[in-house]
Amino acid sequence: MKYKRANVNIAILKYWGKVNNLINLPYQTSISVTADNFYTLTNIELDPKANKDIVILDGKALSGISFTRVSHHLDALRKHFKRKEYCIVNSINRVFIKAGYASSASGFAALTAAYVDAIGAKVSKKELSQLARLGSGSATRSIHGGFVIWHRGKNHETSFAEKLPVKWPEFRMLFTIVDPSVKKISSRVGMQITIEKAKSYADYVKQSNESVEPLIEALKNNDIDATGRIAERAAELMRNVMLEAGLEYHTPTTQQLIQKVKAIRSKHKIPVYYTFDAGPNLILFTLEEYVNEVIRLLPEVEISVSGVGGGITNANS
Ligand code: 2P0
């Protein structure tokens, strides 16, 4: 079967909050790195005779909320392209599900690309990123490979992702498994709670957006220390507003691991930095030459290493 492949991405500068829930218009411009080892494969066939979509994920038909989210996104794509046919969707997730890493970025990016392919439409990557955004905010960035900026924009047309002019093949992500249990509050709901309850949310947005230019500069210079410092600050600023809103995604183990990462940096002079999303796991940023040493210094945690990955591609399975 022919698939569209989309890789997961990890935000270095985070997206956490929507100006508009219908089109996932974010408050923050975010910047991510696409990973090369976790991805979703999706094939779509149009079924002109069907009266609803069928969605098969890893061999099982989806139902409930998961199905509805996919079907709503297909509705949005049908509306955009003025098409009527329902779809048979076949997806395979090669993501770190057991670790609780979300797959909505790669999932909705692959879904969008597969739909566009199924109807034979020709769209630019910019437009593909706008369309993927309608399914999930972080999917906007998974259309592209390498280091990617998602401009927050002011409306559907101006909120899109593009690849940054950065070449950094030595950059590595270390995905840790701190707690494999699935997170309790989805990002979608968590963002809404944060906007409603965190008093310093407006300040957070301002500070986050002020990091855009320094981060682009650090990435262009392949400066791991500047990149890492901005990444840690961005994650901690996001966590501060989450905590203000009563949302705690970390476990004590997460906090212990953060201290260990800082100690490895100061005692061993290894440039290794952390980030996290809406969950207990840390993703570490470092360079290829330090990977084995970092793994050796963190024997208590399971780690999966990823390099920098590409954007949407064709794949067979
Ligand atoms: C990000 N996260 O920038 C941030 C950091 C989690 C923390 O984007 O509602 O699955 O589908 O737009 O994209 C996770 O939220 O949320 C996310 P929706 P999404 O990667």
Side-chain angles (χ1 to χ4, degrees):
M1 199 180 262
K2 284 189 166 175
Y3 295 92
K4 286 290 175 185
R5 168 179 166 160
N7 293 324
V8 306
N9 73 78
I10 296 298
I12 306 173
L13 188 58
K14 306 292 176 180
Y15 144 61
W16 192 253
K18 304 167 204 249
V19 177
N20 179 326
N21 292 318
L22 291 176
I23 60 167
N24 292 331
L25 198 65
Y27 275 99
Q28 306 86 357
T29 287
S30 55
I31 294 177
S32 61
V33 52
T34 303
D36 67 0
N37 63 342
F38 300 126
Y39 54 91
T40 303
L41 301 173
T42 297
N43 168 279
I44 292 186
E45 278 171 35
L46 303 177
D47 185 353
K49 291 187 193 136
N51 57 10
K52 69 187 223 26
D53 296 310
I54 294 174
V55 183
I56 297 164
L57 176 61
D58 295 328
K60 273 195 196 159
L62 283 191
S63 59
I65 290 175
S66 314
F67 169 79
T68 307
R69 230 183 124 181
V70 172
S71 191
H72 274 169
H73 185 52
L74 291 170
D75 285 342
L77 295 174
R78 281 186 279 264
K79 191 174 165 202
H80 179 86
F81 289 104
K82 301 186 173 58
R83 305 281 302 210
K84 293 243 176 305
E85 306 95 327
Y86 286 99
C87 302
I88 302 168
V89 180
N90 263 289
S91 259
I92 301 168
N93 256 338
R94 297 258 191 266
V95 296
F96 220 11
I97 285 188
K98 68 167 182 165
Y101 283 105
S103 58
S104 73
S106 58
F108 281 94
L111 183 72
T112 306
Y115 183 81
V116 166
D117 191 54
I119 63 169
K122 291 269 173 287
V123 306
S124 66
K125 280 203 157 181
K126 174 181 172 184
E127 192 182 347
L128 208 51
S129 78
Q130 290 165 337
L131 294 171
R133 193 195 67 243
L134 301 176
S136 178
S138 51
T140 314
R141 301 182 308 237
S142 273
I143 298 300
H144 301 281
F147 295 84
V148 178
I149 184 165
W150 170 18
H151 303 283
R152 60 179 168 154
K154 289 196 163 77
N155 50 36
H156 179 68
E157 291 304 314
T158 53
S159 187
F160 64 91
E162 66 181 332
K163 194 174 157 86
L164 287 166
V166 172
K167 282 207 176 21
W168 202 353
E170 302 83 10
F171 191 89
R172 292 290 179 279
M173 286 154 263
L174 275 57
F175 290 75
T176 71
I177 305 184
V178 169
D179 185 343
S181 60
V182 173
K183 66 185 174 226
K184 292 183 190 74
I185 297 173
S186 72
S187 292
R188 190 155 282 207
V189 173
M191 288 179 200
Q192 200 52 44
I193 293 174
T194 307
I195 293 169
E196 284 163 16
K197 295 197 175 163
K199 292 203 168 54
S200 67
Y201 186 74
D203 285 341
Y204 161 58
V205 170
K206 189 165 169 284
Q207 284 175 307
S208 178
N209 287 322
E210 282 168 0
S211 290
V212 171
E213 290 308 322
L215 180 54
I216 293 174
E217 199 56 27
L219 292 170
K220 281 183 180 166
N221 293 335
N222 293 6
D223 185 337
I224 188 67
D225 292 312
T227 300
R229 275 196 302 271
I230 296 169
E232 288 190 357
R233 181 166 176 270
E236 294 295 352
L237 286 174
M238 176 180 74
R239 178 168 157 77
N240 286 347
V241 284
M242 288 169 165
L243 289 175
E244 254 189 83
L247 295 169
E248 172 59 283
Y249 286 102
H250 286 183
T251 66
T253 314
T254 313
Q255 289 294 312
Q256 283 160 19
L257 196 57
I258 287 175
Q259 294 314 318
K260 276 208 85 170
V261 170
K262 288 180 176 171
I264 292 173
R265 206 156 67 215
S266 59
K267 285 191 196 135
H268 298 267
K269 308 287 174 229
I270 292 175
V272 56
Y273 294 85
Y274 65 87
T275 190
F276 46 77
D277 290 326
N281 299 310
L282 297 188
I283 300 105
L284 310 183
F285 298 138
T286 191
L287 301 175
E288 185 184 14
E289 63 188 289
Y290 303 107
V291 166
N292 290 340
E293 187 63 358
V294 173
I295 291 174
R296 196 183 67 77
L297 291 165
L298 293 172
E300 69 274 42
V301 65
E302 194 180 334
I303 288 177
S304 181
V305 183
S306 179
V308 180
I312 294 283
T313 51
N314 293 319
N316 289 300
S317 177

